[in-house]
Amino acid sequence: MKLALGCIADDYTGASDLANTLTRAGLRTVQTIGVPSEELDLPDVDAVVVSLKSRSIEAGLAVSRSRAADKWLRGRGADHVLFKICSTFDSTDAGNIGPVMDALRADSGDTIVLVTPAFPETGRTVYQGNLFVGSVPLNESPLKDHPLNPMHDSNLVRVLARQSKTEVGLVGLATVVRGPEAVRARLADLSDKGVGAAIVDAVFDRDLETIGEVALDQRLSVGASGIGLGLARALVAAGKAKAGASSALSESPVGGPAACLAGSCSQATLQQIANAETDMAVLHLDPEQIVAGKGEVRRALGWAAQRITEGPILIASSSTPDQVAALQSRHGRDAAGHAIEQAMADVAEGLVQSGVRRLVIAGGETSGAVVDRLGIPGFLVGAEIAAGVPVLRAVGAKEGEMVLALKSGNFGGPRFFSDALDLMR
Ligand code: ADP
Protein backbone atom coordinates (compact mmCIF):
# COMPACT_ATOMS: atom_id res chain seq x y z
CA MET A 1 0.00 0.00 0.00
CA LYS A 2 1.27 3.45 -0.94
CA LEU A 3 0.08 6.56 0.88
CA ALA A 4 -1.39 9.29 -1.31
CA LEU A 5 -0.81 11.89 1.42
CA GLY A 6 1.32 12.11 4.55
CA CYS A 7 0.70 14.71 7.25
CA ILE A 8 2.68 15.82 10.29
CA ALA A 9 0.59 17.71 12.83
CA ASP A 10 2.20 19.82 15.55
CA ASP A 11 -0.47 18.94 18.14
CA TYR A 12 -3.00 16.22 18.83
CA THR A 13 -6.19 18.28 18.50
CA GLY A 14 -5.00 19.77 15.22
CA ALA A 15 -4.21 16.29 13.98
CA SER A 16 -7.72 15.07 14.82
CA ASP A 17 -9.25 18.05 13.10
CA LEU A 18 -7.18 17.42 9.96
CA ALA A 19 -7.84 13.66 9.98
CA ASN A 20 -11.55 14.36 10.27
CA THR A 21 -11.42 16.92 7.44
CA LEU A 22 -9.59 14.46 5.16
CA THR A 23 -12.08 11.71 6.00
CA ARG A 24 -15.05 13.94 5.22
CA ALA A 25 -13.41 14.79 1.90
CA GLY A 26 -13.31 11.05 1.12
CA LEU A 27 -9.79 9.96 2.07
CA ARG A 28 -9.38 6.82 4.18
CA THR A 29 -7.32 8.29 6.98
CA VAL A 30 -5.38 7.01 9.99
CA GLN A 31 -4.20 9.34 12.75
CA THR A 32 -1.21 8.06 14.71
CA ILE A 33 -0.11 9.11 18.18
CA GLY A 34 3.53 10.11 17.72
CA VAL A 35 5.79 8.60 15.08
CA PRO A 36 4.71 4.97 14.70
CA SER A 37 7.08 2.04 14.84
CA GLU A 38 8.32 0.65 11.54
CA GLU A 39 6.26 -2.48 12.22
CA LEU A 40 2.86 -0.75 12.49
CA ASP A 41 0.44 -2.73 10.37
CA LEU A 42 -1.64 -0.12 8.56
CA PRO A 43 -5.00 -0.92 7.00
CA ASP A 44 -5.41 0.09 3.34
CA VAL A 45 -5.60 3.90 3.66
CA ASP A 46 -5.00 7.01 1.56
CA ALA A 47 -3.59 9.29 4.24
CA VAL A 48 -1.79 9.14 7.57
CA VAL A 49 -1.69 12.06 9.99
CA VAL A 50 1.15 11.73 12.50
CA SER A 51 0.30 13.67 15.67
CA LEU A 52 3.23 15.25 17.45
CA LYS A 53 3.30 17.58 20.43
CA SER A 54 5.79 19.96 18.84
CA ARG A 55 4.02 23.30 18.66
CA SER A 56 5.64 24.95 21.65
CA ILE A 57 8.67 22.80 22.45
CA GLU A 58 12.29 23.75 21.80
CA ALA A 59 12.82 24.26 18.03
CA GLY A 60 15.60 21.67 17.67
CA LEU A 61 13.39 18.98 19.16
CA ALA A 62 10.44 19.98 16.99
CA VAL A 63 12.71 19.68 13.95
CA SER A 64 14.07 16.24 14.85
CA ARG A 65 10.62 14.81 15.65
CA SER A 66 9.12 16.26 12.48
CA ARG A 67 11.96 14.86 10.38
CA ALA A 68 11.42 11.42 11.92
CA ALA A 69 7.71 11.62 11.08
CA ASP A 70 8.53 12.75 7.54
CA LYS A 71 10.92 9.84 7.08
CA TRP A 72 8.26 7.38 8.27
CA LEU A 73 5.64 8.82 5.90
CA ARG A 74 8.00 8.89 2.91
CA GLY A 75 8.92 5.30 3.77
CA ARG A 76 5.22 4.41 3.33
CA GLY A 77 5.24 5.94 -0.12
CA ALA A 78 3.90 9.44 0.56
CA ASP A 79 4.96 11.67 -2.34
CA HIS A 80 3.47 14.71 -0.69
CA VAL A 81 3.72 15.65 2.99
CA LEU A 82 1.68 18.41 4.63
CA PHE A 83 3.17 19.96 7.76
CA LYS A 84 -0.04 20.79 9.66
CA ILE A 85 0.11 23.90 11.82
CA CYS A 86 -2.56 25.78 13.72
CA SER A 87 -4.92 27.91 11.63
CA THR A 88 -3.86 30.87 13.79
CA PHE A 89 -0.19 30.34 12.89
CA ASP A 90 0.51 29.65 16.56
CA SER A 91 4.30 30.15 16.94
CA THR A 92 6.96 32.59 18.18
CA ASP A 93 9.88 34.25 16.38
CA ALA A 94 12.00 31.31 17.56
CA GLY A 95 9.67 28.87 15.79
CA ASN A 96 8.51 26.28 15.42
CA ILE A 97 6.87 26.71 12.05
CA GLY A 98 9.92 28.24 10.30
CA PRO A 99 12.60 25.83 11.57
CA VAL A 100 10.48 22.75 10.85
CA MET A 101 9.55 24.04 7.40
CA ASP A 102 13.21 24.77 6.59
CA ALA A 103 14.31 21.28 7.64
CA LEU A 104 11.51 19.45 5.83
CA ARG A 105 12.07 21.54 2.72
CA ALA A 106 15.76 20.66 2.70
CA ASP A 107 14.88 16.96 3.08
CA SER A 108 12.23 17.13 0.35
CA GLY A 109 14.42 18.86 -2.23
CA ASP A 110 11.64 21.36 -3.04
CA THR A 111 12.87 24.81 -3.98
CA ILE A 112 9.75 26.61 -2.75
CA VAL A 113 6.98 25.68 -0.30
CA LEU A 114 3.34 26.80 -0.35
CA VAL A 115 2.22 28.02 3.08
CA THR A 116 -1.33 28.94 4.09
CA PRO A 117 -3.18 28.58 7.38
CA ALA A 118 -6.48 29.59 5.73
CA PHE A 119 -9.53 27.50 6.69
CA PRO A 120 -12.58 29.53 5.64
CA GLU A 121 -15.17 27.21 7.25
CA THR A 122 -13.72 28.14 10.66
CA GLY A 123 -13.30 31.82 9.79
CA ARG A 124 -9.57 31.77 9.06
CA THR A 125 -8.81 33.62 5.83
CA VAL A 126 -5.63 35.10 4.38
CA TYR A 127 -5.59 38.23 2.23
CA GLN A 128 -2.46 40.08 1.06
CA GLY A 129 -0.59 37.76 3.40
CA ASN A 130 -2.58 38.95 6.42
CA LEU A 131 -4.38 36.36 8.53
CA PHE A 132 -7.90 37.16 9.65
CA VAL A 133 -9.65 35.39 12.52
CA GLY A 134 -13.31 35.93 11.73
CA SER A 135 -13.64 39.60 10.86
CA VAL A 136 -10.53 40.87 12.65
CA PRO A 137 -6.82 40.66 11.83
CA LEU A 138 -4.87 38.11 13.88
CA ASN A 139 -3.18 40.80 15.99
CA GLU A 140 -6.56 42.15 17.12
CA SER A 141 -8.00 38.70 17.88
CA PRO A 142 -7.83 36.94 21.27
CA LEU A 143 -4.64 35.25 19.96
CA LYS A 144 -2.75 38.48 20.73
CA ASP A 145 -2.94 37.41 24.40
CA HIS A 146 -2.13 33.70 23.89
CA PRO A 147 -0.19 32.52 26.97
CA LEU A 148 2.52 30.60 25.04
CA ASN A 149 2.56 32.15 21.58
CA PRO A 150 1.06 35.67 21.56
CA MET A 151 0.47 36.80 17.97
CA HIS A 152 1.17 40.53 17.54
CA ASP A 153 1.64 40.64 13.77
CA SER A 154 -1.01 39.51 11.30
CA ASN A 155 1.30 39.75 8.28
CA LEU A 156 2.42 36.16 7.82
CA VAL A 157 5.08 37.03 5.23
CA ARG A 158 6.85 38.95 7.99
CA VAL A 159 6.03 36.43 10.74
CA LEU A 160 7.39 33.48 8.77
CA ALA A 161 10.45 35.41 7.55
CA ARG A 162 11.42 36.11 11.18
CA GLN A 163 11.52 32.40 12.00
CA SER A 164 12.82 30.92 8.75
CA LYS A 165 16.23 30.98 7.09
CA THR A 166 14.67 31.52 3.68
CA GLU A 167 13.18 34.60 2.10
CA VAL A 168 9.37 34.55 2.11
CA GLY A 169 7.14 35.77 -0.73
CA LEU A 170 3.42 36.17 -1.39
CA VAL A 171 1.01 34.60 -3.84
CA GLY A 172 -1.84 37.09 -3.70
CA LEU A 173 -5.55 36.40 -4.10
CA ALA A 174 -5.58 38.08 -7.53
CA THR A 175 -3.24 35.31 -8.70
CA VAL A 176 -5.01 32.48 -6.88
CA VAL A 177 -8.40 33.31 -8.44
CA ARG A 178 -6.83 33.00 -11.90
CA GLY A 179 -6.29 29.30 -11.20
CA PRO A 180 -3.51 26.72 -10.88
CA GLU A 181 -1.48 27.84 -13.89
CA ALA A 182 -1.25 31.41 -12.61
CA VAL A 183 -0.15 30.14 -9.19
CA ARG A 184 2.46 27.86 -10.77
CA ALA A 185 3.84 30.77 -12.80
CA ARG A 186 4.04 33.02 -9.73
CA LEU A 187 5.79 30.27 -7.73
CA ALA A 188 8.32 29.73 -10.51
CA ASP A 189 8.96 33.46 -10.56
CA LEU A 190 9.50 33.61 -6.78
CA SER A 191 11.63 30.50 -6.83
CA ASP A 192 13.86 31.97 -9.57
CA LYS A 193 14.49 34.91 -7.25
CA GLY A 194 15.66 32.52 -4.51
CA VAL A 195 12.47 32.79 -2.42
CA GLY A 196 12.00 29.49 -0.55
CA ALA A 197 8.48 29.87 0.87
CA ALA A 198 5.32 31.63 -0.23
CA ILE A 199 2.35 32.63 1.89
CA VAL A 200 -0.68 32.00 -0.31
CA ASP A 201 -3.90 33.98 0.06
CA ALA A 202 -7.17 32.05 0.36
CA VAL A 203 -10.62 33.32 1.23
CA PHE A 204 -12.94 30.64 -0.16
CA ASP A 205 -12.77 26.84 -0.40
CA ARG A 206 -12.25 27.12 -4.16
CA ASP A 207 -9.00 28.98 -3.45
CA LEU A 208 -7.90 26.00 -1.34
CA GLU A 209 -8.76 23.65 -4.21
CA THR A 210 -6.48 25.65 -6.51
CA ILE A 211 -3.74 25.64 -3.89
CA GLY A 212 -4.20 21.89 -3.27
CA GLU A 213 -3.88 21.11 -6.95
CA VAL A 214 -0.64 23.11 -7.27
CA ALA A 215 0.73 21.76 -3.96
CA LEU A 216 0.47 18.21 -5.31
CA ASP A 217 3.18 19.09 -7.87
CA GLN A 218 5.49 19.56 -4.90
CA ARG A 219 6.76 17.29 -2.14
CA LEU A 220 5.92 19.54 0.82
CA SER A 221 3.32 22.08 1.91
CA VAL A 222 2.60 23.89 5.17
CA GLY A 223 -0.83 24.85 6.45
CA ALA A 224 -3.92 24.05 8.47
CA SER A 225 -6.88 21.77 7.79
CA GLY A 226 -7.95 24.08 4.96
CA ILE A 227 -5.02 23.17 2.74
CA GLY A 228 -5.66 19.56 3.82
CA LEU A 229 -9.13 19.94 2.33
CA GLY A 230 -7.64 21.38 -0.87
CA LEU A 231 -5.14 18.52 -1.13
CA ALA A 232 -7.82 15.89 -0.46
CA ARG A 233 -10.12 17.31 -3.13
CA ALA A 234 -7.23 17.49 -5.59
CA LEU A 235 -6.30 13.86 -4.87
CA VAL A 236 -9.88 12.72 -5.37
CA ALA A 237 -10.19 14.77 -8.59
CA ALA A 238 -6.95 13.21 -9.88
CA GLY A 239 -8.26 9.69 -9.10
CA LYS A 240 -5.43 9.13 -6.59
CA ALA A 241 -7.89 8.49 -3.73
CA LYS A 242 -11.33 6.99 -3.89
CA ALA A 243 -13.95 9.43 -2.56
CA GLY A 244 -16.60 7.77 -0.43
CA ALA A 245 -14.45 4.79 0.51
CA SER A 246 -13.80 6.21 3.95
CA SER A 247 -16.86 4.84 5.74
CA ALA A 248 -16.75 1.26 4.43
CA LEU A 249 -13.49 0.52 6.20
CA SER A 250 -14.70 1.26 9.68
CA GLU A 251 -18.06 -0.46 9.34
CA SER A 252 -17.43 -4.03 10.46
CA PRO A 253 -18.70 -4.30 14.05
CA VAL A 254 -16.32 -4.74 16.96
CA GLY A 255 -18.96 -5.79 19.48
CA GLY A 256 -18.13 -6.36 23.15
CA PRO A 257 -19.14 -4.36 26.20
CA ALA A 258 -19.35 -0.55 26.03
CA ALA A 259 -18.43 2.11 28.58
CA CYS A 260 -18.41 5.90 28.73
CA LEU A 261 -16.05 7.98 30.88
CA ALA A 262 -16.56 11.67 31.58
CA GLY A 263 -13.86 13.91 33.03
CA SER A 264 -15.03 17.11 31.40
CA CYS A 265 -16.88 19.51 33.67
CA SER A 266 -18.18 21.66 30.81
CA GLN A 267 -21.82 22.69 30.75
CA ALA A 268 -22.47 20.56 27.67
CA THR A 269 -20.97 17.43 29.23
CA LEU A 270 -22.84 17.90 32.53
CA GLN A 271 -26.09 18.01 30.52
CA GLN A 272 -25.08 14.97 28.46
CA ILE A 273 -24.37 13.01 31.67
CA ALA A 274 -27.76 13.99 33.12
CA ASN A 275 -29.47 12.85 29.91
CA ALA A 276 -27.60 9.54 29.89
CA GLU A 277 -29.19 8.54 33.22
CA THR A 278 -32.26 7.29 31.34
CA ASP A 279 -30.24 5.16 28.89
CA MET A 280 -27.48 3.55 30.96
CA ALA A 281 -26.19 2.91 34.47
CA VAL A 282 -24.30 5.99 35.70
CA LEU A 283 -21.73 6.17 38.51
CA HIS A 284 -20.67 9.56 39.87
CA LEU A 285 -17.20 9.35 41.35
CA ASP A 286 -16.31 11.31 44.47
CA PRO A 287 -13.50 13.69 43.37
CA GLU A 288 -12.29 14.14 46.96
CA GLN A 289 -11.85 10.37 47.27
CA ILE A 290 -10.00 10.24 43.95
CA VAL A 291 -7.46 12.76 45.16
CA ALA A 292 -7.16 10.81 48.44
CA GLY A 293 -6.05 7.49 46.88
CA LYS A 294 -6.74 4.44 44.74
CA GLY A 295 -9.89 3.28 46.61
CA GLU A 296 -12.27 5.21 44.35
CA VAL A 297 -10.89 3.53 41.21
CA ARG A 298 -11.38 0.10 42.82
CA ARG A 299 -14.93 1.04 43.77
CA ALA A 300 -15.65 2.14 40.18
CA LEU A 301 -14.26 -1.05 38.67
CA GLY A 302 -16.21 -3.20 41.16
CA TRP A 303 -19.39 -1.28 40.31
CA ALA A 304 -18.70 -1.69 36.58
CA ALA A 305 -18.01 -5.43 36.86
CA GLN A 306 -21.53 -5.98 38.23
CA ARG A 307 -23.24 -4.12 35.37
CA ILE A 308 -21.11 -4.26 32.25
CA THR A 309 -22.61 -7.44 30.83
CA GLU A 310 -26.12 -5.96 31.01
CA GLY A 311 -25.55 -2.87 28.88
CA PRO A 312 -23.46 0.29 28.55
CA ILE A 313 -22.28 2.17 31.64
CA LEU A 314 -21.10 5.71 32.31
CA ILE A 315 -18.56 6.67 34.97
CA ALA A 316 -18.15 10.42 35.60
CA SER A 317 -15.83 12.48 37.76
CA SER A 318 -17.48 15.66 36.49
CA SER A 319 -18.98 18.13 38.90
CA THR A 320 -20.46 21.62 38.84
CA PRO A 321 -18.28 24.74 38.57
CA ASP A 322 -18.68 25.52 42.31
CA GLN A 323 -17.61 22.03 43.33
CA VAL A 324 -14.69 22.10 40.87
CA ALA A 325 -13.52 25.45 42.27
CA ALA A 326 -13.77 24.14 45.85
CA LEU A 327 -11.72 21.02 45.04
CA GLN A 328 -9.12 23.11 43.21
CA SER A 329 -8.76 25.52 46.11
CA ARG A 330 -8.17 22.62 48.51
CA HIS A 331 -5.63 20.71 46.38
CA GLY A 332 -4.41 23.11 43.67
CA ARG A 333 -5.78 23.17 40.15
CA ASP A 334 -3.06 21.13 38.46
CA ALA A 335 -2.73 18.51 41.20
CA ALA A 336 -6.50 17.93 41.32
CA GLY A 337 -6.77 17.76 37.51
CA HIS A 338 -3.81 15.41 37.19
CA ALA A 339 -5.05 13.07 39.93
CA ILE A 340 -8.47 12.83 38.31
CA GLU A 341 -7.06 12.32 34.80
CA GLN A 342 -4.85 9.48 36.07
CA ALA A 343 -7.78 7.92 37.93
CA MET A 344 -9.85 8.00 34.74
CA ALA A 345 -6.93 6.36 32.90
CA ASP A 346 -6.80 3.68 35.64
CA VAL A 347 -10.53 3.08 35.22
CA ALA A 348 -10.20 2.86 31.41
CA GLU A 349 -7.31 0.44 31.70
CA GLY A 350 -9.24 -1.74 34.15
CA LEU A 351 -12.33 -1.73 31.94
CA VAL A 352 -10.35 -2.71 28.84
CA GLN A 353 -8.61 -5.48 30.78
CA SER A 354 -12.05 -6.78 31.73
CA GLY A 355 -13.13 -6.91 28.08
CA VAL A 356 -14.58 -3.49 27.23
CA ARG A 357 -13.96 -2.79 23.53
CA ARG A 358 -16.12 0.28 22.94
CA LEU A 359 -15.10 3.40 24.88
CA VAL A 360 -16.51 6.92 24.81
CA ILE A 361 -14.43 9.57 26.58
CA ALA A 362 -15.61 13.11 27.33
CA GLY A 363 -12.90 15.72 27.96
CA GLY A 364 -9.82 16.69 25.97
CA GLU A 365 -7.23 16.18 28.71
CA THR A 366 -9.11 13.15 29.98
CA SER A 367 -9.02 11.61 26.48
CA GLY A 368 -5.29 12.29 26.22
CA ALA A 369 -4.60 10.56 29.54
CA VAL A 370 -6.70 7.53 28.56
CA VAL A 371 -5.19 7.15 25.10
CA ASP A 372 -1.64 7.46 26.50
CA ARG A 373 -2.39 4.82 29.11
CA LEU A 374 -3.92 2.38 26.64
CA GLY A 375 -0.86 2.86 24.41
CA ILE A 376 -2.92 2.83 21.21
CA PRO A 377 -0.58 3.70 18.30
CA GLY A 378 -3.24 5.09 15.97
CA PHE A 379 -6.86 5.37 14.86
CA LEU A 380 -8.72 4.88 11.65
CA VAL A 381 -11.17 7.77 11.41
CA GLY A 382 -14.80 6.79 10.82
CA ALA A 383 -18.22 8.40 10.64
CA GLU A 384 -18.94 11.59 12.57
CA ILE A 385 -21.07 11.25 15.70
CA ALA A 386 -21.32 15.02 16.04
CA ALA A 387 -19.47 17.86 14.29
CA GLY A 388 -15.76 17.28 14.85
CA VAL A 389 -16.21 14.00 16.77
CA PRO A 390 -15.71 10.89 14.65
CA VAL A 391 -15.83 7.23 15.61
CA LEU A 392 -12.21 6.04 15.90
CA ARG A 393 -11.13 2.48 15.29
CA ALA A 394 -7.90 1.53 17.04
CA VAL A 395 -5.01 0.54 14.76
CA GLY A 396 -2.24 -1.66 16.13
CA ALA A 397 -3.70 -1.83 19.67
CA LYS A 398 -2.38 -4.69 21.78
CA GLU A 399 -5.94 -5.45 22.90
CA GLY A 400 -6.98 -6.02 19.28
CA GLU A 401 -10.11 -4.50 17.74
CA MET A 402 -11.50 -1.50 19.63
CA VAL A 403 -13.61 1.56 18.84
CA LEU A 404 -13.41 4.87 20.66
CA ALA A 405 -14.93 8.32 20.62
CA LEU A 406 -12.89 11.17 22.09
CA LYS A 407 -14.59 14.51 22.53
CA SER A 408 -13.64 17.88 23.95
CA GLY A 409 -15.97 19.11 26.65
CA ASN A 410 -18.24 21.37 24.65
CA PHE A 411 -18.73 19.09 21.65
CA GLY A 412 -21.76 16.94 20.87
CA GLY A 413 -25.52 17.20 21.19
CA PRO A 414 -27.58 16.69 24.37
CA ARG A 415 -27.70 12.89 23.95
CA PHE A 416 -24.07 12.53 22.92
CA PHE A 417 -23.31 9.33 24.83
CA SER A 418 -26.23 7.40 23.29
CA ASP A 419 -25.55 8.94 19.87
CA ALA A 420 -21.95 7.72 20.08
CA LEU A 421 -22.86 4.19 21.14
CA ASP A 422 -25.44 3.96 18.34
CA LEU A 423 -22.61 4.37 15.82
CA MET A 424 -20.03 2.33 17.73
CA ARG A 425 -21.12 -1.18 16.95
P1 ADP B 1 -12.63 19.71 28.63
O1 ADP B 1 -12.48 19.13 27.26
O2 ADP B 1 -14.05 20.02 28.98
O3 ADP B 1 -11.69 20.86 28.88
P2 ADP B 1 -10.75 18.09 30.02
O4 ADP B 1 -10.76 16.62 30.26
O5 ADP B 1 -9.78 18.62 29.01
O6 ADP B 1 -12.21 18.54 29.66
O7 ADP B 1 -10.44 18.87 31.36
C1 ADP B 1 -11.16 18.66 32.52
C2 ADP B 1 -10.17 18.72 33.68
O8 ADP B 1 -10.91 18.75 34.90
C3 ADP B 1 -9.29 17.48 33.74
O9 ADP B 1 -8.01 17.84 34.17
C4 ADP B 1 -10.01 16.64 34.80
O10 ADP B 1 -9.14 15.72 35.43
C5 ADP B 1 -10.47 17.70 35.74
N1 ADP B 1 -11.63 17.27 36.54
C6 ADP B 1 -12.52 16.30 36.26
N2 ADP B 1 -13.46 16.21 37.21
C7 ADP B 1 -13.16 17.17 38.12
C8 ADP B 1 -13.77 17.59 39.34
N3 ADP B 1 -14.87 17.00 39.81
N4 ADP B 1 -13.19 18.59 40.03
C9 ADP B 1 -12.08 19.19 39.55
N5 ADP B 1 -11.46 18.86 38.41
C10 ADP B 1 -12.00 17.86 37.69
Side-chain angles (χ1 to χ4, degrees), residues 223-245:
S225 294
I227 193 169
L229 180 72
L231 285 161
R233 289 191 181 163
L235 284 167
V236 169
K240 292 183 183 163
K242 219 164 115 215

Side-chain angles (χ1 to χ4, degrees), residues 151-174:
M151 301 303 291
H152 296 303
D153 189 356
S154 46
N155 185 306
L156 299 183
V157 176
R158 283 195 304 249
V159 172
L160 185 59
R162 285 197 295 268
Q163 39 178 293
S164 164
K165 290 202 186 78
T166 182
E167 215 183 301
V168 181
L170 173 69
V171 181
L173 194 63

Side-chain angles (χ1 to χ4, degrees), residues 339-359:
I340 296 175
E341 285 160 30
Q342 289 309 308
M344 294 308 259
D346 290 340
V347 172
E349 194 176 21
L351 290 172
V352 170
Q353 278 166 3
S354 71
V356 167
R357 289 293 174 270
R358 296 182 286 150
L359 259 187

Side-chain angles (χ1 to χ4, degrees), residues 289-368:
Q289 288 301 319
I290 296 180
V291 179
K294 291 276 183 197
E296 193 65 353
V297 170
R298 279 196 294 276
R299 181 173 82 94
L301 290 174
W303 176 90
Q306 287 170 0
R307 290 167 180 80
I308 197 76
T309 50
E310 284 154 35
I313 58 164
L314 167 61
I315 298 175
S317 70
S318 323
S319 36
T320 59
D322 288 354
Q323 292 165 325
V324 171
L327 191 85
Q328 288 175 340
S329 73
R330 280 194 295 277
H331 301 283
R333 184 196 163 100
D334 290 348
H338 182 74
I340 296 175
E341 285 160 30
Q342 289 309 308
M344 294 308 259
D346 290 340
V347 172
E349 194 176 21
L351 290 172
V352 170
Q353 278 166 3
S354 71
V356 167
R357 289 293 174 270
R358 296 182 286 150
L359 259 187
V360 182
I361 322 279
E365 294 299 325
T366 309
S367 297

Side-chain angles (χ1 to χ4, degrees), residues 68-404:
D70 187 66
K71 190 163 173 251
W72 190 93
L73 292 163
R74 305 282 186 198
R76 299 285 172 129
D79 288 332
H80 187 87
V81 168
L82 165 64
F83 171 40
K84 157 72 171 73
I85 58 167
C86 183
S87 64
T88 54
F89 220 77
D90 211 348
S91 55
T92 65
D93 286 352
N96 289 335
I97 296 173
V100 172
M101 177 189 79
D102 289 347
L104 296 181
R105 181 169 77 99
D107 289 346
S108 73
D110 277 355
T111 53
I112 187 161
V113 184
L114 288 156
V115 182
T116 187
F119 193 18
E121 72 178 57
T122 58
R124 313 294 197 258
T125 56
V126 181
Y127 180 61
Q128 301 294 9
N130 291 277
L131 175 59
F132 289 81
V133 177
S135 58
V136 294
L138 178 65
N139 64 330
E140 292 174 25
S141 77
L143 281 306
K144 72 183 190 305
D145 302 317
H146 189 287
L148 295 176
N149 306 321
M151 301 303 291
H152 296 303
D153 189 356
S154 46
N155 185 306
L156 299 183
V157 176
R158 283 195 304 249
V159 172
L160 185 59
R162 285 197 295 268
Q163 39 178 293
S164 164
K165 290 202 186 78
T166 182
E167 215 183 301
V168 181
L170 173 69
V171 181
L173 194 63
T175 304
V176 176
V177 293
R178 282 170 39 228
E181 280 317 314
V183 175
R184 286 186 180 104
R186 171 72 180 150
L187 281 180
D189 188 36
L190 287 170
S191 167
D192 286 348
K193 293 185 179 120
V195 174
I199 299 293
V200 192
D201 282 353
V203 172
F204 298 106
D205 279 5
R206 64 170 178 272
D207 304 326
L208 297 170
E209 289 167 13
T210 298
I211 295 167
E213 186 179 329
V214 177
L216 281 185
D217 301 347
Q218 324 248 119
R219 304 253 301 151
L220 177 70
S221 55
V222 177
S225 294
I227 193 169
L229 180 72
L231 285 161
R233 289 191 181 163
L235 284 167
V236 169
K240 292 183 183 163
K242 219 164 115 215
S246 52
S247 54
L249 258 181
S250 43
E251 262 169 12
S252 61
V254 164
C260 306
L261 295 177
S264 165
C265 301
S266 69
Q267 222 33 60
T269 301
L270 293 176
Q271 189 59 54
Q272 289 158 349
I273 296 168
N275 291 341
E277 304 262 3
T278 52
D279 303 330
M280 59 192 87
V282 179
L283 174 69
H284 293 273
L285 299 174
D286 179 343
E288 197 62 61
Q289 288 301 319
I290 296 180
V291 179
K294 291 276 183 197
E296 193 65 353
V297 170
R298 279 196 294 276
R299 181 173 82 94
L301 290 174
W303 176 90
Q306 287 170 0
R307 290 167 180 80
I308 197 76
T309 50
E310 284 154 35
I313 58 164
L314 167 61
I315 298 175
S317 70
S318 323
S319 36
T320 59
D322 288 354
Q323 292 165 325
V324 171
L327 191 85
Q328 288 175 340
S329 73
R330 280 194 295 277
H331 301 283
R333 184 196 163 100
D334 290 348
H338 182 74
I340 296 175
E341 285 160 30
Q342 289 309 308
M344 294 308 259
D346 290 340
V347 172
E349 194 176 21
L351 290 172
V352 170
Q353 278 166 3
S354 71
V356 167
R357 289 293 174 270
R358 296 182 286 150
L359 259 187
V360 182
I361 322 279
E365 294 299 325
T366 309
S367 297
V370 169
V371 167
D372 280 353
R373 180 68 65 81
L374 296 179
I376 299 171
F379 301 106
L380 178 65
V381 181
E384 268 186 316
I385 301 158
V389 192
V391 175
L392 300 171
R393 196 172 181 112
V395 170
K398 52 185 184 304
E399 295 80 12
E401 294 287 345
M402 263 181 86
V403 277
L404 295 96

